[in-house]
Protein backbone atom coordinates (compact mmCIF):
# COMPACT_ATOMS: atom_id res chain seq x y z
CA UNK A 1 0.00 0.00 0.00
CA UNK A 2 1.15 3.51 -0.71
CA UNK A 3 2.32 5.94 1.92
CA UNK A 4 -0.28 8.51 0.95
CA UNK A 5 -2.82 8.78 3.73
CA UNK A 6 -6.38 10.00 3.85
CA UNK A 7 -7.94 11.46 6.96
CA UNK A 8 -11.20 9.84 8.02
CA UNK A 9 -13.54 10.50 10.89
CA UNK A 10 -16.18 8.17 12.27
CA UNK A 11 -18.18 7.49 15.39
CA UNK A 12 -17.80 4.23 17.28
CA UNK A 13 -19.16 2.87 20.57
CA UNK A 14 -17.18 4.01 23.61
CA UNK A 15 -16.51 0.41 24.68
CA UNK A 16 -14.93 -0.39 21.31
CA UNK A 17 -12.65 2.63 21.45
CA UNK A 18 -11.78 1.91 25.10
CA UNK A 19 -10.75 -1.62 24.12
CA UNK A 20 -8.76 -0.23 21.20
CA UNK A 21 -6.95 2.19 23.49
CA UNK A 22 -6.21 -0.57 26.01
CA UNK A 23 -4.71 -2.76 23.29
CA UNK A 24 -2.71 0.16 21.98
CA UNK A 25 -1.28 0.68 25.49
CA UNK A 26 -0.35 -3.00 25.77
CA UNK A 27 1.34 -3.01 22.36
CA UNK A 28 2.94 0.40 22.73
CA UNK A 29 1.15 1.68 19.64
CA UNK A 30 -1.39 4.41 19.08
CA UNK A 31 -5.09 4.05 18.40
CA UNK A 32 -4.69 4.76 14.69
CA UNK A 33 -2.20 1.91 14.27
CA UNK A 34 -4.60 -0.52 15.93
CA UNK A 35 -7.57 0.66 13.86
CA UNK A 36 -5.64 0.56 10.58
CA UNK A 37 -4.38 -2.96 11.34
CA UNK A 38 -7.89 -4.11 12.26
CA UNK A 39 -9.36 -2.60 9.10
CA UNK A 40 -6.63 -4.11 6.91
CA UNK A 41 -7.14 -7.57 8.44
CA UNK A 42 -10.93 -7.30 8.14
CA UNK A 43 -10.70 -6.41 4.45
CA UNK A 44 -8.21 -9.21 3.85
CA UNK A 45 -10.48 -11.76 5.54
CA UNK A 46 -13.65 -10.42 3.95
CA UNK A 47 -12.31 -10.67 0.42
CA UNK A 48 -11.56 -14.35 0.97
CA UNK A 49 -15.22 -15.01 1.70
CA UNK A 50 -16.68 -16.59 -1.44
CA UNK A 51 -20.12 -15.04 -0.99
CA UNK A 52 -18.66 -11.56 -0.58
CA UNK A 53 -16.33 -12.03 -3.57
CA UNK A 54 -19.37 -12.90 -5.67
CA UNK A 55 -21.11 -9.77 -4.40
CA UNK A 56 -18.06 -7.72 -5.35
CA UNK A 57 -18.01 -9.32 -8.80
CA UNK A 58 -21.71 -8.58 -9.26
CA UNK A 59 -21.10 -4.93 -8.37
CA UNK A 60 -18.38 -4.84 -11.04
CA UNK A 61 -20.60 -6.50 -13.64
CA UNK A 62 -23.37 -4.00 -12.86
CA UNK A 63 -21.00 -1.05 -13.21
CA UNK A 64 -21.24 -0.08 -9.53
CA UNK A 65 -17.46 -0.28 -9.04
CA UNK A 66 -14.56 0.24 -11.41
CA UNK A 67 -11.99 -2.31 -12.46
CA UNK A 68 -9.40 -0.58 -10.26
CA UNK A 69 -11.72 -0.86 -7.27
CA UNK A 70 -12.35 -4.51 -8.09
CA UNK A 71 -8.61 -5.14 -8.32
CA UNK A 72 -7.95 -3.45 -4.97
CA UNK A 73 -10.56 -5.67 -3.33
CA UNK A 74 -9.90 -9.10 -4.84
CA UNK A 75 -6.39 -8.85 -6.26
CA UNK A 76 -5.09 -8.54 -9.79
CA UNK A 77 -5.51 -12.17 -10.85
CA UNK A 78 -9.14 -12.57 -9.75
CA UNK A 79 -9.97 -9.12 -11.12
CA UNK A 80 -8.53 -10.06 -14.51
CA UNK A 81 -10.62 -13.23 -14.52
CA UNK A 82 -13.76 -11.27 -13.67
CA UNK A 83 -12.98 -8.76 -16.43
CA UNK A 84 -12.68 -11.56 -19.01
CA UNK A 85 -15.96 -13.05 -17.80
CA UNK A 86 -17.66 -9.65 -17.97
CA UNK A 87 -16.45 -9.20 -21.55
CA UNK A 88 -17.76 -12.65 -22.44
CA UNK A 89 -21.10 -11.90 -20.80
CA UNK A 90 -21.33 -8.58 -22.64
CA UNK A 91 -20.53 -10.26 -25.98
CA UNK A 92 -23.12 -12.99 -25.32
CA UNK A 93 -25.73 -10.34 -24.49
CA UNK A 94 -25.01 -8.46 -27.71
CA UNK A 95 -25.27 -11.66 -29.73
CA UNK A 96 -28.54 -12.66 -28.05
CA UNK A 97 -30.00 -9.19 -28.54
CA UNK A 98 -29.02 -9.27 -32.21
CA UNK A 99 -30.89 -12.56 -32.65
CA UNK A 100 -34.15 -11.07 -31.33
Amino acid sequence: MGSEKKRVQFRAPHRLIDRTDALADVLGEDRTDILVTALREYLQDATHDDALVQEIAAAYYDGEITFDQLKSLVGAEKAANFRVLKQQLDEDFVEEAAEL
Side-chain angles (χ1 to χ4, degrees):
M1 294 203 180
S3 61
E4 187 177 323
K5 297 184 180 197
K6 186 177 204 176
R7 184 176 208 37
V8 296
Q9 183 176 342
F10 63 95
R11 297 188 187 282
H14 283 280
R15 285 180 40 103
L16 182 61
I17 298 304
D18 291 344
R19 290 177 65 199
T20 302
D21 290 342
L23 183 58
D25 289 343
V26 168
L27 297 175
E29 297 181 10
D30 64 24
R31 178 190 299 162
T32 298
D33 293 336
I34 299 299
L35 292 171
V36 167
T37 298
L39 183 57
R40 183 181 298 118
E41 290 176 5
Y42 173 81
L43 291 170
Q44 182 69 27
D45 290 346
T47 56
H48 284 86
D49 177 286
D50 290 338
L52 181 56
V53 169
Q54 290 307 311
E55 237 180 280
I56 293 167
Y60 173 64
Y61 298 148
D62 292 341
E64 296 171 17
I65 62 173
T66 66
F67 179 75
D68 286 338
Q69 290 171 314
L70 174 70
K71 189 167 64 170
S72 74
L73 289 170
V74 300
E77 185 177 345
K78 278 186 184 176
N81 290 337
F82 287 135
R83 179 166 47 189
V84 168
L85 182 56
K86 181 179 181 183
Q87 290 169 342
Q88 290 173 342
L89 291 171
D90 290 344
E91 290 169 7
D92 289 345
F93 175 76
V94 169
E95 289 175 12
E96 287 177 20
E99 291 174 1
L100 295 177

